[in-house]
Amino acid sequence: MRDVDLRFYISILWRRLPYVLTITILALAISVLVARALPPVYRASAKILVEAPQIPADLARSTVPTTAVDQFQIIQQQITTREYLLALADKLDFYGNNLSGEKLSGGEELSSEDIVEDMRSRITFEQLDSLSAKTGTSIFDVSFEAGEPVLAAKTVNELVAMILRSNQRQRTDRAGDTLRFFDREVARLGSELNRLEADILKFKSKNKDTLPESLDFRRRQQISQQERLTLLEREEAALRSRRSSLTDAYATGTPSAVSGPVTPEQQMLQDLNRALAEQLAIFSENSPNIIALRARIVSLQRGLMSNQATDTSASKKALSGLELQLSDTDQRLEIIGREKTAITQSIADLTQSIVATPASETALNSLERNRLNVQTQYNAAIARRAEALIGEQIELRSDGGRFSLLEPASPPQSPISPKRRRIVAIGAAAGIGLSLALVALLEILNRTVRRPSELAQLLQYQPLATIPHIPTPAEARAASRKRGVARGIAAALVAAGIPGTLATIHYYYSPIDLIFQKFISN
Amino acid sequence: MESISTSLQGIVQVRAIDRASEQTIHACTRIESEVLWDSLPALRIDPAILAQNRVVTINRSTAARTPFDMMRTKILQTLRQNNWTSVAITSPAPSCGKTFLALNLAFSLADQKDCRTLLVDVDLRRPQIGERLGVTGSPPFENFLNGKSDINEIFLRHDSNLAVGVNGQPVQFSAETLQSPETTRVLRELRQRMNPDVILYDMSSMLATDDVIAFLPNVDCVILVAAAERTTLAEVDSCEQYLSEKSNVLGVVLNNCRHHRGY
């Protein structure tokens, strides 16, 4: 059944062959015409290598953070801006002299919109392949389509130059910006630091007495002053006692220390005075012991007075010596007194300064802390500036993520479009498809009986008979003649085709003898 | 008892006489038909003309006649089963190959020696059988149908068992002629006198005229011819339905089929 069906379809096709052939040939002719009529388009392309930074990032870092690929995309956007494209078209005189492929109807002026649109459609950026995702090294392909190979190549090279220039400029600008920023930062922080330091100096000079660093010194000073004060007091006491003893000695006539040894009376008197003093500590004023003692002392003093009166000459001499001694002592005492007041004042000052020290220490600490913070920032800024300097150097010497021209565009040998062969092939295929569709449609629309099976399907019983086509003798002769002619043509085609194919292979593919040798060696 | 037996004997005798007379009549008619067949003028055929008109069954040895022979056998079997004699050949549209089929079938039946066949051209508008056979100057068939002409003036004999009724002239009022009682009578008489086993009526097409509809009561069964790639399924369907309602459809023949290889 399938076999019958296949034969049936083949026979239908055979009968409709005129249609099929006509439509196919028409389609072929049209496609050939189209392929010939379409203007050629040449595409030139250049490859740009977008490299990752040359210097390892852990040694020195570029200060341009964008990856090269991002950079490329940014530039791509810049290049496809209106102004640039218009400038490029103008520069290359792209639409001025009617190039093949840009023939303007009636020489009318293209609007800038159209020009930009057209240019955009001609330019293609393509990332060929990312060599490694980590480093971001990749190759981009920039291509341009134009009606002339030379023009296409020229445009591509122009574009590429622009890309490279723009990339370099951008990166160095960025690096320079970074450096400038850090420069400014350093300057700012430096002036801040200077200001703070001046403040500190001012504070210190203002509160130099209460500075914490001189606290120990001042404490020691205070102690030594106090020691000195006690010494002075002691000396003063000694002087006073001596003076009093001198005066006493003068008064008793027995200059104790000055006028020789003390008389027994004097000695007694002194002893009694001492005893009195002791007794006074124990007894009251009007106890009998005391009264007795006082009486004795008075009597003794009378005796002494009388004795002194006897020795006036001697006492005169003694008096002048005493005078001298006393004035000396008084002088000393005065000096000591003065010194004491001075020392006491200084101790009071010191104490006050010591008391005031914590407050000024706190103030100073806060100042110092500020200074330290700023100092830290300043140091960091200095370090960063150094990095930025290195980064700028890297960018200046384009060791950062750099673009390099891998392969400049050269004028293409053959146009990329129209792909004439493909157009013709598509035309032929379309023609065949169309004709087959037409045949199918005709067959669908054709509601006539063609096979006994159709009748059987309709009538639910087999037809009585199926008569094949019976040719008249003339028809039979014509058919056999036709068959003979067809066979002859086929034979001629085969006979012509084999040498033709061989010749084609020989002249267009590779010489036959080489192929044969290859075949033999295989 | 006696009377009964005598009456029975009488009846038996009468029966015997009847049978004898029937046989006599039968013999008479057979003899008459023999005589009539012999009296028919011979049909001279030119093989070249026949071949030109695609009549293949006159050749004994040709592969092309196989389908006709098969069809002949089938038709004969069906006719005998149903005790039918007359077969009309029609088609939905003109030039589907009715005459072609009728002629081929007729010559194929002629090879069946024990079977007498009549081929009658009742396509009164476009009679073609005579033309196809290369017969010229035959009288109008209308005369025969009116009873003006006799059988042996119209029919031509091929071999000894095929008589062909050729129409020399188209008839104007064909449908009226075909459905007139006179026609019915003439055809009945023809069947009686010629005593054929098969009568093939080559008719006009169904959808062009009402001839077929008019003539249907005179036939036992119908063969519908469909021409491959000309006749639509709808035409076949409608004609077949009509015919099977009004008469017996012997079958549908698909003619001129190029997509068929044997059975």
Side-chain angles (χ1 to χ4, degrees), chain A residues 11 15 449 461 464 467 469, chain B residues 229 231 240 252 254 256 259:
Chain A
S11 72
R15 286 214 344 270
V449 187
Y461 57 82
L464 182 66
I467 316 291
H469 173 72
Chain B
E229 320 200 11
T231 313
E240 197 267 346
V252 180
L254 184 62
N256 200 12
H259 307 293

Side-chain angles (χ1 to χ4, degrees), chain A residues 3-4 7-9 11-12 15 446-455 458-459 461-475, chain B residues 51-52 54 56 67-68 71 74-75 100-101 223 228-233 236-237 240 249-261 263:
Chain A
D3 180 33
V4 171
R7 286 181 69 95
F8 170 61
Y9 293 132
S11 72
I12 283 177
R15 286 214 344 270
N446 177 5
R447 297 299 306 142
T448 59
V449 187
R450 275 168 304 197
R451 285 177 293 175
S453 59
E454 290 170 8
L455 267 182
L458 174 77
L459 303 169
Y461 57 82
Q462 284 296 329
L464 182 66
T466 303
I467 316 291
H469 173 72
I470 293 172
T472 62
E475 280 173 356
Chain B
Q52 187 60 44
R54 303 175 213 270
V56 290
F68 298 108
M71 189 169 31
K74 277 186 190 172
I75 289 169
F100 155 82
L101 187 80
I223 292 177
E229 320 200 11
R230 292 193 49 158
T231 313
T232 64
L233 283 166
V236 173
D237 196 22
E240 197 267 346
V249 178
L250 200 55
V252 180
V253 176
L254 184 62
N255 188 16
N256 200 12
C257 176
R258 294 162 194 263
H259 307 293
H260 184 65
R261 298 151 55 244
Y263 287 86

Side-chain angles (χ1 to χ4, degrees), chain A residues 107 183 509:
Chain A
D183 273 335
Y509 177 63

